Amino acid sequence: MKHLSALPEQGRPAQDVLAELRDMRGGDLPTHGGRLFAYVYDAGLAGLDDLAAAAHALSAHVNGLDPTAFPSLLAMENDLVAAAAQVLGGDEHAVGSVTSGGTESLILAVKAARDSRPDIARPRLVMPVTAHAALAKAASYLRVELDTVPVDPVSLRVDPAAVAAAITPDTVLVACSAPSYAHGLIDPVEPIAAAAAANGVRCHVDACFGGWTLPYLRRLGEPIPPFDLSVPGVTSISVDLHKYAYVPKGVSVLLHRDESLRMPQYFGYADWPGYTMVNPVISSTRSGGPIAAAWATLRHIGDDGYLALAAKTRDATRAIGGSVARIADFAVIPRESTVVAFMSSSIDLFVLADELAARGWHTQPQFRHGAIPASVHLTVTAAVAPRVGEFEADFAAAVEAARAHGPIALPDGILDLLETAPVEQIAGALGLGASGGLPDRMAPVNSLLNAVAPAVREKLLIAFLSLLQRPSRRP
């Protein structure tokens, strides 16, 4: 990709700048059309993008720092919180905040729990090992000790008794998922929340990924277990609207059961000569654009529209899962939400992911973790529904190609090289360019990352990301 100066000596005409931006976007994966099974969420509704863009433009310069200056934004935020509470079992006491995404919601949930117990010098967070990595990020940022509870490597489920046993007098929060990102499974929220409550500990349900769809799937007859604020002991829950509410990035909602639970989330500071800073979320200045776009999207789709989208997504998930399950080489993880995840002991999944990408289908390979094998993750959205037949044919062809290719053989000595070589040398051995170029096939890279311990994987990827994130130089 050609690097263009963001600050040229002379300004460029608007139409030229937009043309350059479109050219840069040409190298990205497709955000619409149902062929990207991660990162983006496409409702497949005509006109929805135009509505959201227009709403965003109307409020892009509104600043969420001061609700008294811009009451429209406060009203829209309160409306979004009310909608999330309606969907996720909140009663008249439920309160919440609009955040920039699931990670911010989770950081704030951990902060509220930590700051509610100033008497604990070394607060701890208990969660299944399948909980989202953003919770570990929150613990790292906030200096909260992390206690992860293993799951059964076959069922991929956590034992609620093991979660209860992990709670100590220093535990300030127990977290669980509905559903988990990696495999789309719903943790046993009721017994986990009961164990937390019995120990006087908060319980947060991370429903950021697919929680918006679960109540609608239940209304469609799916056996969705209790998981939200209607469950005794659940003190907070988070849900990303930029996922299955199909609003533009980035809007999430963090709900608390009542106001007293939310209060430690706030930050206030008056001990300086400027304005008194009072923030409910991490950001101070916030653009009203994403919030207005989310508000407009929910108003446009409505409850009946989300029910219809959930039905389309459910049907597409069943069909995609069936396409995989019909091939004997794969073990498909039981479907509980809108995820298709599968494993294989005979097909190299990283080669398969490359073969699917070559046919225009972009999946998310997931590395092994302890006794849990590597897998492939597919986030299914409503836009996938018209593509099911295409996927089935291409998946069968990709499997045959992966079978013919065989497993990846790592370069001799590459694992030993990891201990001593700089990341630039490792990147070169794998065909990764420091200029930002990536190889056409990622299976060798993924195979290497799958072969190393998580700590080594983190080190490699952090160093490689640092190589990519370098200022572009003017030619």
Side-chain angles (χ1 to χ4, degrees):
M1 180 184 297
K2 182 181 178 181
H3 292 298
L4 301 173
S5 172
L7 187 65
E9 293 181 4
Q10 295 182 331
R12 303 275 291 161
Q15 64 270 22
D16 291 354
V17 173
L18 291 175
E20 291 165 350
L21 181 57
R22 292 187 190 98
D23 184 60
M24 292 175 71
R25 285 278 290 111
D28 293 344
L29 294 179
T31 60
H32 293 69
R35 285 180 167 269
L36 176 54
F37 289 101
Y39 309 120
V40 297
Y41 298 79
D42 181 12
L45 296 178
L48 189 61
D49 284 355
D50 292 338
L51 169 67
H56 189 289
L58 282 172
S59 295
H61 297 289
V62 172
N63 190 342
L65 176 62
D66 186 351
T68 67
F70 304 105
S72 66
L73 191 59
L74 175 63
M76 286 185 282
E77 286 189 278
N78 285 339
D79 287 347
L80 293 175
V81 169
Q86 175 185 332
V87 171
L88 295 173
D91 60 18
E92 68 275 13
H93 302 293
V95 295
S97 304
V98 177
T99 75
S100 64
T103 296
E104 185 177 4
S105 289
L106 294 173
I107 290 173
L108 289 168
V110 175
K111 177 193 182 300
R114 183 198 68 177
D115 290 358
S116 72
R117 294 297 308 274
D119 56 306
I120 296 179
R122 298 187 65 182
R124 308 188 74 87
L125 163 63
V126 172
M127 67 184 197
V129 73
T130 49
H132 198 282
L135 280 161
K137 182 178 182 178
S140 175
Y141 277 18
L142 297 170
R143 295 186 180 275
V144 172
E145 300 291 332
L146 189 61
D147 297 315
T148 56
V149 180
V151 300
D152 182 275
V154 177
S155 70
L156 302 175
R157 298 189 181 281
V158 70
D159 181 357
V163 175
I167 299 173
T168 73
D170 289 333
T171 302
V172 296
L173 183 65
V174 174
C176 52
S177 306
S180 64
Y181 180 83
H183 307 116
L185 299 177
I186 302 169
D187 284 333
V189 174
E190 284 187 302
I192 289 175
N199 286 275
V201 175
R202 294 183 181 216
C203 178
H204 180 78
V205 176
D206 173 16
C208 289
F209 170 48
W212 185 266
T213 65
L214 296 182
Y216 291 101
L217 292 173
R218 182 187 291 129
R219 286 164 58 180
L220 292 166
E222 295 293 302
I224 304 298
F227 71 94
D228 56 21
L229 287 175
S230 65
V231 176
V234 171
T235 54
S236 59
I237 188 169
S238 51
V239 62
D240 287 1
L241 302 186
H242 61 224
K243 292 188 169 75
Y244 283 99
Y246 296 111
V247 314
K249 309 284 187 186
V251 182
S252 177
V253 175
L254 171 61
L255 296 173
H256 293 277
R257 180 175 291 277
D258 60 46
E259 180 62 31
S260 66
L261 292 165
R262 181 174 65 169
M263 287 304 293
Q265 174 187 313
Y266 284 85
F267 172 81
Y269 190 79
D271 194 14
W272 75 306
Y275 65 92
T276 298
M277 178 180 284
V278 180
N279 300 140
V281 296
I282 294 174
S283 299
S284 296
T285 289
R286 292 181 293 143
S287 169
I291 293 169
W295 185 87
T297 299
L298 265 66
R299 289 277 297 167
H300 178 63
I301 294 178
D303 185 68
D304 61 339
Y306 282 116
L307 187 65
L309 288 169
K312 288 180 65 176
T313 307
R314 175 202 59 189
D315 294 346
T317 307
R318 286 176 176 174
I320 294 290
S323 298
V324 177
R326 279 190 288 274
I327 299 178
D329 297 272
F330 299 102
V332 181
I333 295 165
R335 178 186 58 83
E336 289 190 352
S337 55
T338 52
V339 171
V340 174
F342 56 90
M343 304 169 179
S344 178
S345 58
S346 58
I347 298 290
D348 189 317
L349 295 178
F350 305 125
V351 174
L352 175 63
D354 281 349
E355 293 295 340
L356 285 168
R359 291 162 175 79
W361 302 97
H362 306 282
T363 61
Q364 191 165 55
Q366 300 181 139
F367 304 120
R368 66 178 179 86
H369 184 275
I372 301 174
S375 62
V376 172
H377 166 108
L378 284 72
T379 295
V380 182
T381 64
V384 174
R387 302 278 192 178
V388 166
E390 298 172 52
F391 177 84
E392 184 168 5
D394 284 343
F395 184 79
V399 170
E400 289 307 311
R403 187 181 286 117
H405 183 284
I408 291 294
L410 293 175
D412 291 340
I414 188 68
L415 295 180
D416 295 332
L417 188 66
L418 295 179
E419 300 297 328
T420 57
V423 71
E424 292 89 345
Q425 184 177 348
I426 299 169
L430 293 169
L432 299 171
S435 62
L438 294 173
D440 293 333
R441 300 181 71 89
M442 291 298 296
V445 178
N446 287 330
S447 296
L448 170 63
L449 294 172
N450 188 60
V452 299
V456 178
R457 192 182 303 153
E458 292 167 8
K459 175 184 174 183
L460 285 172
L461 288 175
I462 289 171
F464 178 61
L465 183 59
S466 180
L467 285 176
L468 295 181
Q469 294 184 317
R470 302 291 171 92
S472 53
R473 305 301 179 189
R474 184 177 300 178

